[in-house]
Amino acid sequence: MKIKKLALVRHGESIWNRENRFTGWTDVDLTAEGVEESYRAGDMLREEGLTFDMAFTSYLKRAIKSLDCILDRMNLDWIPVEKSWRLNEKHYGALQGLNKGETADRYGGELVQLWRRSYNTPPEPLTEDDPRNPRFDIRYRDVPPDDLPLSESLKDTINRLMPYWNDTIFPSLSERDNILIVAHGNSLRGIVKHLKNISDDDIAGLNLPTAIPYIFEFDSDLKVVNDYFLGNPEEIEKMMKETASVR
Ligand SMILES: O=C(O)[C@@H](COP(=O)(O)O)OP(=O)(O)O
């Protein structure tokens, strides 16, 4: 039986990850460590003997540049890459740019955790005239304006992600052997929730560390038969705890 593989990788550390700020759709770059850990992710995938026929990423440079680093280390710079705004991070609304720890001090840790990890509750939206409204950003000019968010819950993120998963990413697995998605903490949590049928409550407990490949194996009927992270389980556990906290 031919096993097909999907690798999910959250981008390497971004400048706002380092500064502990809510990022969402803000297009911040990688730190030097973020570049290094993305290269390391490429090494891990190569050493695992994996190769990919196609890759998908978001419209945000922290994911695009991480993907480039991974493909570079795998000598796969040539494979087709498709970008979609639907793989962007959850839109963090008016929280974007704020320090996560300071926001918890101001509003209380519980409310901040609700904004970060609840399934249904979006943060306060940006105002329509906020210069950060994605309608003012040329990269989204082909997206129907009503589809562009001013804030999102995980549920909203999944709702805009699933059409792309169902119409493009998942069908590509029928034609290809292995595919790679480099995206974001919350957009990838949406994909994992779907693939593992995780409940709305339990998905709050999944915290994906930066640049750690998460592999899903599919049988010939494209049913998930196995999933595992690459790397040292104890270190990954520690990184997940760090991702979960607001510091
Ligand atoms: O938008 C952000 O701040 C982080 C996730 O933050 P949390 O939901 O973990 O607070 O997204 P990413 O760095 O994966 O693009």
Side-chain angles (χ1 to χ4, degrees):
M1 183 177 63
K2 173 102 184 131
I3 294 286
K4 300 193 175 206
K5 292 182 184 169
L6 163 69
L8 304 179
V9 186
R10 182 179 170 203
H11 59 81
E13 182 195 63
S14 75
I15 293 168
W16 281 15
N17 292 150
R18 168 66 61 94
E19 293 175 0
N20 198 24
R21 294 182 202 221
F22 289 102
T23 316
W25 282 35
T26 316
D27 200 10
V28 298
D29 213 333
L30 296 174
T31 62
E33 171 57 24
V35 171
E36 268 319 300
E37 60 180 355
S38 301
Y39 279 127
R40 283 200 298 274
D43 290 337
M44 287 164 97
L45 288 161
R46 192 193 61 241
E47 284 158 16
E48 188 68 13
L50 269 161
T51 187
F52 299 105
D53 310 297
M54 178 154 194
F56 297 90
T57 191
S58 72
Y59 273 13
L60 299 170
K61 71 173 80 170
R62 57 192 187 277
I64 297 166
K65 290 190 178 184
S66 299
L67 172 61
D68 286 346
C69 294
I70 291 169
L71 294 180
D72 176 71
R73 282 296 164 91
M74 300 187 77
N75 262 319
L76 288 176
D77 314 66
W78 56 274
I79 63 168
V81 170
E82 193 172 299
K83 299 182 185 118
S84 173
W85 68 275
R86 291 183 188 275
L87 284 170
N88 276 12
E89 181 53 306
K90 172 173 99 162
H91 197 297
Y92 257 118
L95 294 180
Q96 289 185 175
L98 301 183
N99 178 283
K100 295 180 188 184
E102 287 168 15
T103 308
D105 291 344
R106 184 158 171 207
Y107 296 100
E110 222 172 282
L111 186 52
V112 167
Q113 241 358 63
L114 197 76
W115 287 328
R116 292 181 70 221
R117 291 293 176 265
S118 76
Y119 184 60
N120 280 309
T121 313
E124 196 64 30
L126 296 176
T127 57
E128 279 291 344
D129 61 352
D130 191 302
R132 296 171 295 173
N133 181 340
R135 289 187 189 203
F136 303 135
D137 189 332
I138 192 169
R139 86 188 76 189
Y140 304 114
R141 68 186 160 196
D142 294 333
V143 182
D146 286 347
D147 287 352
L148 290 170
L150 293 168
S151 176
E152 291 181 308
S153 61
L154 181 62
K155 183 181 179 187
D156 300 327
T157 309
I158 291 173
N159 286 343
R160 56 99 161 146
L161 172 64
M162 283 326 286
Y164 189 60
W165 172 267
N166 288 325
D167 298 344
T168 304
I169 301 178
F170 192 61
S172 78
L173 254 186
S174 327
E175 291 153 28
R176 302 178 187 272
D177 287 341
N178 299 323
I179 62 176
L180 168 65
I181 303 177
V182 180
H184 304 266
N186 293 292
S187 54
L188 292 175
R189 289 171 69 237
I191 293 176
V192 175
K193 181 181 190 303
H194 172 72
L195 287 174
K196 296 193 73 176
N197 206 8
I198 299 173
S199 73
D200 299 353
D201 286 343
D202 289 349
I203 193 61
L206 177 70
N207 288 282
L208 297 174
T210 52
I212 298 294
Y214 188 7
I215 312 296
F216 281 81
E217 296 184 348
F218 296 80
D219 66 13
S220 44
D221 296 325
L222 296 184
K223 294 264 170 299
V224 176
V225 288
N226 197 11
D227 64 285
Y228 50 93
F229 288 93
L230 298 187
N232 177 310
E234 277 164 29
E235 275 170 32
I236 294 172
E237 184 72 21
K238 200 169 143 234
M239 291 169 86
M240 285 179 160
K241 284 204 179 112
E242 278 165 20
T243 307
S245 86
V246 286
R247 284 183 263 163

